[in-house]
Amino acid sequence: MLKQFEDIFEASKDAIGYAALDGAILLINRAFIELTGFSREELLRMNARDLIPEQHKEQRDRVVAQVLQTGEPAEYEIDYLQKNGSQVPVSITVFAVKGDDGKPTGLAAIVRDLTERKRAEEQFRLVVESSPNGMLMVDESGTILLVNRQIEQLFGYGRAELIGQPVEMLVPQ
């Protein structure tokens, strides 16, 4: 059975890593290597915090503390550092790995590259923003989620004033 799990681990398109409680990277799959650009040997000499840009280290530390305290997995989005110095947007699901005594022995993470999703979101935003018509998006309860510049000009409200408000505020009595 162990061989099947190793095969699944290596075949995953998501990067998967396992680190000691102090952050020392102990195990990574092929996708992790591809995502970061570091070799397996380089990664196994690193600490998980080495892959986090300075501006995200505090957030990462809070999430790790929360996971260790609650025992529940947590998901968050940050940027990851690549060997070439660039940053890649990722979603990380981190969870505690427990020993036979039920106490955490390490942390595992599933890391998903968000580059394509972020690119698609930006393209969508640009299309909406450049539309000559006023556009807004509301959820099923009628709460405004998104507006473009033309809606701001048409109704005289700023974006911050509209987002989160009921769409009825734009409908005349």
Side-chain angles (χ1 to χ4, degrees):
M1 187 62 111
L2 185 57
K3 172 73 171 110
Q4 289 91 341
F5 283 111
E6 288 176 16
D7 291 346
I8 293 167
F9 177 77
E10 282 301 324
S12 174
K13 292 197 182 292
D14 290 331
I16 303 172
Y18 174 68
L21 291 175
D22 67 0
I25 298 173
L26 303 173
L27 185 65
I28 41 92
N29 69 351
R30 187 174 306 122
F32 205 101
I33 295 164
E34 292 169 5
L35 176 70
T36 63
F38 290 99
S39 71
R40 186 176 303 272
E41 294 74 27
E42 289 171 316
L43 285 163
L44 294 176
R45 289 192 306 264
M46 295 172 73
N47 188 291
R49 290 183 97 247
D50 297 337
L51 297 169
I52 309 291
E54 200 58 46
Q55 72 268 22
H56 295 300
K57 286 187 178 179
E58 188 177 308
Q59 177 186 11
R60 182 254 182 211
D61 292 345
R62 276 194 315 271
V63 171
V64 166
Q66 172 192 331
V67 168
L68 291 173
Q69 180 183 6
T70 67
E72 295 295 319
E75 185 174 348
Y76 64 110
E77 291 184 13
I78 61 168
D79 292 325
Y80 238 28
L81 292 173
Q82 295 182 307
K83 185 175 182 173
N84 65 11
S86 65
Q87 296 183 20
V88 60
V90 296
S91 168
I92 301 176
T93 302
V94 63
F95 52 96
V97 176
K98 298 176 184 171
D100 292 336
D101 61 0
K103 294 187 172 136
T105 59
L107 293 163
I110 300 170
V111 184
R112 177 165 287 156
D113 185 343
L114 298 179
T115 302
E116 288 305 314
R117 188 187 91 189
K118 295 289 186 179
R119 187 175 295 129
E121 288 173 356
E122 179 61 12
Q123 287 175 338
F124 175 77
R125 187 192 70 73
L126 290 172
V127 166
V128 169
E129 202 55 46
S130 65
S131 172
N133 300 313
M135 297 177 73
L136 63 103
M137 182 186 299
V138 297
D139 65 13
E140 62 278 351
S141 68
T143 302
I144 299 171
L145 302 174
L146 178 137
V147 298
N148 68 355
R149 184 175 31 253
Q150 287 71 16
I151 288 290
E152 291 178 288
Q153 292 172 351
L154 183 63
F155 290 98
Y157 292 106
R159 201 168 299 230
E161 295 173 278
L162 293 169
I163 304 293
Q165 297 301 315
V167 72
E168 289 80 17
M169 77 179 283
L170 300 177
V171 181
Q173 295 296 329

